[in-house]
Amino acid sequence: MALESVPMTKDLIAQHNLTDDEYKKIVEILGREPNLTELGMFSVMWSEHCSYKSSRVHLRKLPTTGPRVVQGPGENAGAVDIGDGLCVVFKMESHNHPSFIEPYQGAATGVGGILRDVFTMGARPIALLDSLRFGGLDTAKNRHLMKGVVAGIAGYGNCMGVPTVGGEVRFDDIYSLNPLVNAFCLGIAHKDKIFRGTAAGVGNPVIYFGSKTGRDGIHGATMASDSFDDESEQKRPTVQVGDPFQEKLLLEACLELMAGDLLVGIQDMGAAGLTSSSCEMASRAGNGIELDLTHVPRREPGMTPYELMLSESQERMLMVAKAGKEEECIRICRKWDLDVAVVGKVTGDGMLRVLDRGKVVAEIPAKALADDGPRYERPYSPPAYQDMLTNLNYDAIADVKDANAALLSLLESPTIASKRWVYEQYDHMVRTNTMVRPGSDAAVVRIKGTNKAVAMTVDCNGRYCLLHPYEGARLAVAEAARNLVCSGAEPIGLTDCLNFGNPERPDIMWQFVLAIEGMKDACEHFKIPIVSGNVSFYNETNGLSIYPTPMLGMVGLIEEAERAMTQWFREDGDAVLLLGKSRDDLGGSEYLKVVHHREQGSPPFLSLETEKALQDFILRVIREGLVQSAHDCSDGGLAVALAESCVSAPGVRRGAVVRLPLDSLRRDALLFGESQSRAILSVKPDVAETLLNRAWDAGIPAAKIGTVGGDRLVIDVEKGRWSDGCRIDLPLEQVHDRWANAIERVLGDT
């Protein structure tokens, strides 16, 4: 059948972000020139956002298998076995570009999309986390972006009845024109009832259900695969509009459909909408799909096939039902007040064929769209400025003189300060599973019907990754795992959201390649599989790239939920122990940035062997019930970790008196350096000596450094080999006020 002919011009091809070579490949695949609808379909599916054309060759290096892995990368989300016939299903994705253009809807639809990725697999979502990056809050634009993004996350998650139980927020001016909004979702499913996006069974009906299709979000995937400039806010029409109440109905309908023997496959209409869902389902099964757009529910008149195939309207799904089960599927969808229609059928010819009012308007091999896009091994090399970043003369930086002032400055730095202003806008207790609320090293959620719990955390220090991408990525894996272990959980799986600049620049590609290598080596050492993920390139505006920010969402299992641990001191009189060795690790620290206004140096040294030994030991003694609290040392170093242990408990503050030997370290390195493989434990006084001996037997440096109690934080640093000591002595009220209210103050909300 003849296809509609549309003149293809260089300008039209360029507007679709396709190169000359890519267009030639399209012509070669089709054996003819595409029409406009087909050009649009190739454009979105071959975009960086959908095709991973610059990253796939490197992503293959990551470890994705393991004894617990039920589903690895390649589906809507990953799944990991937690026993009792259950698995956790989780995924993390970015919504950076839309959130810069329209912060509320950009963030809200990011939450909606990640929820669909999880319940499409047959899992009921039970927890959300978010990982956010903003520019400094001293500018009105950044405050506007932060308020809009947080409101969008809260608005969607709260309406869905899924608790946002944790997350992280960091601030740096480099993110001012390119904030990062990464959303994580975890759900629970029966291991033998996982659903996949596959269009198996020739002749089976293809059914559209959910919201009607509109013109919002057209070319959203293409926009997400492009750098920004001063005109970027004009791209507002490409941002989708979400409706969480509709998504709640969609969730319940999906779970009811999945409970019956009705479905062959099911897929969310996310980026690239109807195009991606149909071609990906067909390609996975080695089949084709014939779609008839005449039956697609729409909310706007006069929509063209191009608009219908590329729309990214939210809250829509595509399912392949078993033949003869159509009416039952339609009945369930209508029960939940959803638009629903049979829009096509599975075919055996491998083609995605699109009809509109009896006319073929697109005909493309499904595999060509979903799997046969371009693959680039882009050149990579370090930037000329890299040596300047890592070379830092510490002798030119004065050691800390007023340790009280330095600690208070760090505690009110927005990156370290309490994120209470953020998480108090989220409903983190809905569904009554939440055991550890936001504010500790990791969130912990009970698995109802079992004695198990799962812990979740999101982590990445982009500054470390800028200074050394390989080490920064290793450090991110280590810290995420350490956060889980300090919460009493064994790390069992990871999802990633890899945020980088323009991959066509060799320096950006160098950052990406080294970060992948760092993640690979650390995950292999800790035996943590990466089961899902997302790559977000082109995070730059006017040629200025963000810091390389490979966000990690890690999940851990607590076999006995009552062993879940928190970071805050629990009882006066408890002994405070420091596990691990402090080193001269000031490079890339928050202290250097806040106090000395420098983002330079080498990131902290990390031995994977030492880190694994520390984590194994902490997990062992927590499981034995010997620990009162556990908190890892990270941003701001030992002094900040001690302060947080004193003031981060909900509604309770407990002081501590601590004495630290300086030895041959600088005072600032001891107090505020970010040496790795360290944790603060509080324990009952009568077990302290035994626990210390066991730590040394396990090869872990350990010492009793103080006692919990009182209404002050006192840290005495003894005189060292080359310098005098110092003293921190602050009332807890002041410590708490600086830490707890800093963000509210800068946002003008107090």
Side-chain angles (χ1 to χ4, degrees), residues 312-367:
E312 294 182 12
S313 294
Q314 297 291 285
E315 296 90 37
R316 301 180 303 156
M317 308 281 275
L318 203 64
M319 62 176 153
V320 175
K322 293 184 177 179
K325 303 286 189 178
E326 301 94 320
E327 289 306 315
E328 178 65 9
C329 292
I330 290 170
R331 183 192 67 78
I332 291 171
C333 291
R334 286 180 175 160
K335 168 189 167 183
W336 290 102
D337 201 24
L338 299 174
D339 283 286
V340 59
V342 177
V343 295
K345 62 184 178 182
V346 178
T347 63
D349 62 3
M351 302 297 290
L352 176 57
R353 188 173 296 105
V354 184
L355 290 82
D356 185 41
R357 289 171 292 187
K359 179 182 179 182
V360 175
V361 294
E363 194 169 33
I364 307 170
K367 195 170 185 296

Side-chain angles (χ1 to χ4, degrees), residues 475-510:
L475 288 161
V477 174
E479 184 180 348
R482 196 161 62 244
N483 282 334
L484 294 179
V485 166
C486 285
S487 301
E490 173 195 357
I492 59 171
L494 185 152
T495 182
D496 58 56
C497 199
L498 309 178
N499 305 272
F500 289 80
N502 183 345
E504 298 164 48
R505 288 172 43 183
D507 57 324
I508 300 299
M509 206 64 210
W510 175 80

Side-chain angles (χ1 to χ4, degrees), residues 48-65:
E48 192 72 62
H49 189 75
C50 291
S51 73
Y52 294 82
K53 57 189 175 186
S54 299
S55 60
R56 189 169 293 196
V57 64
H58 301 289
L59 295 174
R60 293 194 186 109
K61 304 170 187 174
L62 296 173
T64 59
T65 59

Side-chain angles (χ1 to χ4, degrees), residues 392-399 586 591-592 596 598 666 668:
L392 180 62
N393 181 7
Y394 293 104
D395 292 336
I397 299 173
D399 201 345
L586 283 172
Y591 168 79
L592 273 189
H596 295 284
R598 292 174 180 261
R666 292 169 54 121
D668 53 9

